[in-house]
Amino acid sequence: MISKTKRTSFWLLGLTIGLIATILLSLNLGTMSVSPIDVWKTMIGQGTDQNQLVLFDFRLPRIVIALLIGAGMAISGAILQGVTHNDLADPGILGINSGAGFAVVLFIYLTQNNLTSTVFILPLAALGGAVLAAALIYLISWKNGVSPIRLILVGIGINAAFSALIIVFQLKMDPDDFTKAQIWLTGNIAGTDWSYTLALLPWILILLPIAFFKAGTLDALHLGDETAQGLGTNVEKERIFLLVIAVALAGASVAVGGAIAFLGLVIPHLARKLVGARHHHMLITSALLGALLLLVADTIGRNILSPSEIPVGIIVSLIGGSYFVYLLMKS
């Protein structure tokens, strides 16, 4: 019988190895294939100019973006599920993604700027929209405290409202901007470069450690409000703080990669099945799984119909949706 600690270590090691292998495979595959030996030579500065261009300017920044967004969205979903006591909680279902997406679409519409020229401002705009959505959800849900069920139901309504507003402003755009916005909202990291990485990296580096530090608080909240209060937890204060962390992670990720569905919903479920419900282990596993799934999805999307690409959000929806249906059939 394998102990729980050994099983957790096994899965964390396995996911880390799988992530490294997927990174190497993603560097190798593409419209122009680069052999593993040439990848190594390029990494140590002995590759051709063409390989350096392909790897450092196109593939590597896209890989880093996939890792950051995957980890951010997965942790956001795990926090929301812990705070609401609901396994269906997810930045997409609760309306946080649509709030962030609405803010970005509105910003682009008002400023008539493309996504590239405003890359460092987009996370702030998305964060504003995500915070607005979260604030509306929390205020409308409040009735002598916040009921997790009310939080989910109100979130679904807010999601529908912001999704409708997104369509309204999209219809006011010219056809080219409409198409770009639609692809981006589906979930797309094609065309990203190091500027996108630099725009997202500070958010992930600051917020992920805070989320990991709050794992014990999430464990307490998971036991129920009364039990958490009995353990000395200020329930409403901690719930608001954790919601802010989840909202900020989702908003920053949506600003760069669009509203990628199912990532924050499915990954925490899978992490709990692998390492259990304790958030100290589950959050780290969720981050690794989210990064791995998004990178695998992007690698498939880049290559399955090469030289054309399938937006990563569509691939994630196919994988995540299929797994979620499997979960519903099994439980």
Side-chain angles (χ1 to χ4, degrees):
M1 186 75 176
I2 301 175
S3 68
K4 195 168 184 179
T5 302
K6 287 184 177 180
R7 188 180 72 172
T8 300
S9 300
F10 169 79
W11 280 115
L12 290 176
L13 179 61
L15 288 171
T16 302
I17 293 172
L19 197 57
I20 294 171
T22 307
I23 290 171
L24 295 175
L25 186 65
S26 187
L27 287 170
N28 173 239
L29 297 177
T31 304
M32 194 191 89
S33 180
V34 182
S35 69
I37 294 176
D38 288 335
V39 169
W40 171 251
K41 287 181 179 179
T42 305
M43 288 298 170
I44 61 175
Q46 298 178 3
T48 64
D49 291 340
Q50 185 181 45
N51 285 344
Q52 287 183 351
L53 178 68
V54 170
L55 295 182
F56 288 113
D57 290 354
F58 295 107
R59 291 185 189 168
L60 199 55
R62 186 164 172 171
I63 288 171
V64 175
I65 282 291
L67 298 178
L68 295 176
I69 293 176
M73 292 296 289
I75 294 296
S76 178
I79 291 174
L80 289 173
Q81 290 179 16
V83 167
T84 62
H85 309 162
N86 193 313
D87 290 344
L88 291 178
D90 162 74
I93 292 176
L94 282 177
I96 294 171
N97 283 359
S98 58
F102 168 71
V104 172
V105 169
L106 179 62
F107 179 79
I108 294 170
Y109 172 76
L110 293 176
T111 60
Q112 298 296 312
N113 283 322
N114 58 46
L115 295 179
T116 304
S117 64
T118 57
V119 62
F120 290 99
I121 303 175
L122 286 180
L124 295 175
L127 178 61
V131 168
L132 174 61
L136 288 172
I137 294 166
Y138 205 83
L139 289 173
I140 298 173
S141 302
W142 183 272
K143 189 177 182 182
N144 299 321
V146 175
S147 163
I149 297 299
R150 282 175 62 86
L151 204 67
I152 291 291
L153 294 176
V154 171
I156 292 172
I158 294 295
N159 182 36
F162 275 118
S163 297
L165 288 173
I166 287 173
I167 294 173
V168 169
F169 281 96
Q170 278 186 286
L171 292 174
K172 291 178 175 292
M173 294 178 173
D174 62 63
D176 288 340
D177 288 341
F178 176 89
T179 302
K180 290 177 183 177
Q182 188 62 42
I183 294 173
W184 174 75
L185 287 168
T186 303
N188 185 42
I189 58 175
T192 52
D193 54 31
W194 289 114
S195 63
Y196 288 84
T197 305
L198 293 175
L200 179 60
L201 187 61
W203 298 83
I204 302 299
L205 288 181
I206 293 171
L207 295 173
L208 248 59
I210 296 175
F212 295 148
F213 179 74
K214 285 292 184 179
T217 303
L218 282 167
D219 285 337
L221 291 175
H222 186 69
L223 298 174
D225 290 0
E226 292 183 1
T227 304
Q229 286 176 345
L231 294 172
T233 303
N234 188 330
V235 173
E236 289 305 324
K237 179 181 176 182
E238 293 292 347
R239 180 176 282 142
I240 291 173
F241 182 78
L242 286 166
L243 282 173
V244 170
I245 298 298
V247 165
L249 282 170
S253 299
V254 168
V256 175
I260 299 173
F262 280 107
L263 203 58
L265 177 64
V266 172
I267 292 299
H269 283 271
L270 184 55
R272 279 191 289 270
K273 289 178 72 69
L274 295 180
V275 300
R278 284 198 63 195
H279 286 85
H280 287 91
H281 300 143
M282 195 270 278
L283 288 179
I284 298 174
T285 306
S286 293
L288 290 172
L289 275 171
L292 178 61
L293 175 60
L294 194 61
L295 184 56
V296 168
D298 185 53
T299 304
I300 293 172
R302 282 196 297 113
N303 292 280
I304 194 170
L305 294 178
S306 181
S308 299
E309 292 190 15
I310 301 175
V312 66
I314 295 176
I315 303 296
V316 170
S317 294
L318 289 173
I319 297 173
S322 300
Y323 180 73
F324 194 66
V325 170
Y326 166 77
L327 283 179
L328 292 175
M329 293 174 64
K330 292 287 288 184
S331 61

